[in-house]
Amino acid sequence: MARPRAADFAEKQAHILDSAAAVFAELGMDKASMSQIARECGVSKALLYHYYPSKDALIFAIVNTHISHLDEAVIAADDPSLAPGDRLEKLVRAVLETYRGADNAHKVQLNAFGALSEAQRAQLRDTEKRIVARFANVLKELNPRLAEPGTHLLTPVTMSLFGMLNWVYTWFKEDGPVTREDYARIATRIILDGVGGVKP
């Protein structure tokens, strides 16, 4: 009979993921050890292995949790009743808010694929594709020419937007002059003012 989970299982799990992400972000996936992660978490190595049987399992859990939270936030923010430009800005704002306090997990996401199995990578790619598709659909509504047969422009434009969002952690300061809401408007305006000029 399986041992029942402790009442604080989810809380401890979240703490382990946050602490492990900090270690991986600082040392890298190869150099970080389960002993170092256990020490950072303030738990025994045995307890860490109780939650995650291997370093690879821990890396996957960090990335999967981070991307799943992003997927949920984007789903909740997507409002087809809005004008396309407003809808896009709301999606961008949801991404930036999800990234708040998640720099370490985001760094792990950007660098972890080589440490994951093909099955794990496939699962993460499926989630990423759903997220990207929501943005692509709005961009296509803003400029249908992006999706015309033979143009191959929708993906580059969509991923250019994600390029702006995914690297925001390298320069953004929570106490700086630009808020996340400010940057959501900036990134959206760059896309809105540029989309109309993209020709097949």
Side-chain angles (χ1 to χ4, degrees), residues 1-6 9 50:
M1 181 176 177
R3 186 170 68 179
R5 289 184 172 182
F9 182 90
H50 170 66

Side-chain angles (χ1 to χ4, degrees), residues 6-193:
D8 61 350
F9 182 90
E11 182 180 340
K12 286 182 177 178
Q13 192 175 46
H15 172 66
I16 288 172
L17 293 181
D18 287 344
S19 300
V23 175
F24 286 130
E26 180 182 356
L27 301 179
M29 262 62 72
D30 292 335
K31 293 183 179 179
S33 70
M34 293 294 270
S35 295
Q36 290 168 312
I37 293 167
R39 190 160 52 248
E40 178 71 17
C41 294
V43 302
S44 68
K45 194 173 174 181
L47 181 61
L48 178 59
Y49 276 109
H50 170 66
Y51 280 83
Y52 298 101
S54 68
K55 188 166 75 169
D56 291 350
L58 185 50
I59 292 170
F60 175 73
I62 292 168
V63 180
N64 188 49
T65 299
H66 180 58
I67 294 180
S68 294
H69 287 166
L70 183 58
D71 188 32
E72 292 164 4
V74 168
I75 290 171
D78 194 11
D79 186 354
S81 70
L82 294 175
D86 294 335
R87 182 182 177 189
L88 181 63
E89 183 175 333
K90 192 175 180 183
L91 290 174
V92 170
R93 193 162 57 244
V95 170
L96 294 176
E97 282 300 322
T98 304
Y99 286 172
R100 186 191 297 272
D103 285 356
N104 290 327
H106 191 61
K107 291 176 188 176
V108 175
Q109 177 200 346
L110 294 175
N111 295 286
F113 266 47
L116 302 176
S117 69
E118 180 52 42
Q120 290 171 330
R121 290 196 293 267
Q123 182 177 332
L124 296 174
R125 278 195 294 265
D126 284 344
T127 306
E128 289 176 337
K129 285 177 182 177
R130 286 198 303 271
I131 296 168
V132 170
R134 287 186 179 274
F135 283 80
N137 287 338
V138 181
L139 291 170
K140 183 169 59 176
E141 190 174 352
L142 284 163
N143 184 356
R145 292 173 297 176
L146 295 175
E148 287 179 356
T151 58
H152 308 295
L153 292 173
L154 185 58
T155 296
V157 171
T158 306
M159 298 315 297
S160 293
L161 173 57
F162 274 97
M164 287 191 284
L165 303 182
N166 285 344
W167 294 98
V168 71
Y169 77 91
T170 63
W171 62 266
F172 183 83
K173 304 295 183 185
E174 292 292 353
D175 59 351
V178 177
T179 67
R180 290 180 185 272
E181 188 171 279
D182 290 337
Y183 188 63
R185 284 193 294 269
I186 291 168
T188 303
R189 289 312 325 172
I190 290 172
I191 292 297
L192 291 180
D193 292 343

